[in-house]
Amino acid sequence: MKTVILIDNIGDDVLTGEWGLSFYIEYRDRKILLDAGGISGAFAGNAEKLGIPLEEVDAAVLSHAHYDHADGMSTFFRLNDHAKLYLRESCGENCYKKPDGKIKYIGIRQGFLEAYAGRLVRVSGTYQLGDGIWLLPHTAPAARLEEAGNQESMCLKVGEEWITDCFDHEQSLVFELPEGLVIFSSCSHAGADLIISEVRQAFPDREILAILGGFHLYNKTPEYVRNLAERIRSLGKIGIYTGHCTGEEGYEILREELGDSVHQLRSGMEIRF
């Protein structure tokens, strides 16, 4: 299994970095795109520089309904004429953030879901994308997910009503390998430890090798990050490949607490399992 980071906050002199995330994954005979960064479509320029043919991708997955993961998909659809995009049934163009009471739209670019309806596959529950490939929803108690939504000041607009975002539009992409499971959870809004626990509950007889994605720690206190590190440690030795919304300070604290099991994502990074 091979993964290449097509876009992350950290770039270099050759590859673009931006606030967003995109993974290219080769697994057995499948080629999968997970997320596509923001509206700039910079992930595609990086893919071209890396020699990755996006036109050969078999399937695309959207981790959740936020702009910095979804909006580059219009560029992907222009380059690839056949791959379907798998997203949660509940995904809509209705995600907002209310920091200090100010409303900011952070959802999928409005009009996208209608414009590309023929390319979308909406899934619910635990969904098998292919042999050894799974899309998992949140299964934690609603109160725990609502607590995370309130902590992030994130909400959904449903008609004229504002409700707390419980992240039912978020999903984890899980791959089975002989040695164990690899989890992709692009922003882990409800907590990386919770997502690991959800996957473990879904696959009680399998080890977890690694989790890849952002941990949404850029806006958290050092104490919060250290407590998260302790909870992850209690779940066993798991490889951590994180970037994007984890933030520089969050990454450094995780590295300090969990040592060499923690790795920094960056545009162009290749990971093999």
Side-chain angles (χ1 to χ4, degrees):
M1 177 180 176
K2 179 177 83 169
T3 300
V4 180
I5 314 306
L6 297 184
I7 202 80
D8 176 71
N9 297 18
I10 302 174
D12 57 29
D13 293 340
V14 176
L15 300 175
T16 300
E18 69 172 14
W19 180 267
L21 199 54
S22 177
F23 297 92
Y24 168 78
I25 304 161
E26 292 182 359
Y27 174 80
R28 298 177 179 170
D29 61 345
R30 302 293 301 276
K31 296 176 180 177
I32 297 172
L33 179 73
L34 172 61
D35 295 344
I39 194 63
S40 72
F43 82 101
N46 285 349
E48 183 177 10
K49 292 173 183 175
L50 292 165
I52 293 174
L54 293 177
E55 67 274 11
E56 295 180 7
V57 167
D58 304 302
V61 173
L62 183 63
S63 65
H64 63 292
H66 287 172
Y67 75 98
D68 48 338
H69 299 260
D71 285 358
M73 283 295 173
S74 55
T75 297
F76 174 68
F77 285 154
R78 288 196 294 270
L79 296 171
N80 182 301
D81 63 3
H82 62 277
K84 299 289 188 179
L85 173 62
Y86 293 79
L87 68 168
R88 281 284 120 187
E89 189 173 45
S90 58
C91 272
E93 297 165 357
N94 63 342
C95 293
Y96 292 80
K97 191 174 178 68
K98 283 186 168 183
D100 303 320
K102 298 176 183 177
I103 299 173
K104 178 183 179 182
Y105 184 68
I106 59 171
I108 299 169
R109 190 179 190 190
Q110 293 176 330
F112 172 87
L113 296 176
E114 181 179 358
Y116 294 102
R119 299 288 296 270
L120 308 182
V121 178
R122 292 184 175 271
V123 305
S124 60
T126 297
Y127 184 88
Q128 187 166 13
L129 183 59
D131 185 25
I133 309 172
W134 301 87
L135 297 174
L136 269 60
H138 283 305
T139 55
R144 169 74 186 272
L145 299 171
E146 185 173 342
E147 179 184 356
N150 284 327
Q151 183 178 49
E152 298 296 342
S153 300
M154 290 182 179
C155 56
L156 305 175
K157 190 173 185 183
V158 181
E160 296 302 314
E161 183 181 1
W162 295 96
I163 64 172
T164 300
D165 193 342
C166 293
F167 306 112
D168 61 353
H169 55 89
E170 190 170 55
Q171 59 185 347
S172 298
L173 175 60
V174 180
F175 293 88
E176 295 185 70
L177 296 177
E179 302 83 3
L181 305 174
V182 176
I183 306 167
F184 290 80
S185 181
S186 293
C187 270
S188 309
H189 292 101
D193 59 318
L194 180 141
I195 288 160
I196 293 168
S197 296
E198 289 176 333
V199 174
R200 180 164 286 165
Q201 183 177 20
F203 300 91
D205 299 325
R206 301 300 311 275
E207 295 292 325
I208 295 175
L209 296 180
I211 181 169
L212 295 82
F215 286 3
H216 222 264
L217 301 176
Y218 77 96
N219 57 354
K220 304 299 193 300
T221 65
E223 180 183 16
Y224 179 98
V225 180
R226 293 187 193 282
N227 288 336
L228 172 66
E230 182 55 39
R231 294 195 298 272
I232 292 175
R233 183 186 291 111
S234 72
L235 294 170
K237 188 168 178 58
I238 298 170
I240 307 292
Y241 296 81
T242 192
H244 178 41
C245 56
T246 296
E248 183 177 350
E249 183 181 29
Y251 170 79
E252 292 297 338
I253 294 173
L254 289 177
R255 179 81 176 178
E256 178 185 332
E257 294 290 330
L258 299 174
D260 292 344
S261 64
V262 180
H263 309 271
Q264 174 72 67
L265 298 181
R266 61 184 66 246
S267 296
M269 181 180 183
E270 182 176 312
I271 306 163
R272 291 181 181 266
F273 295 100

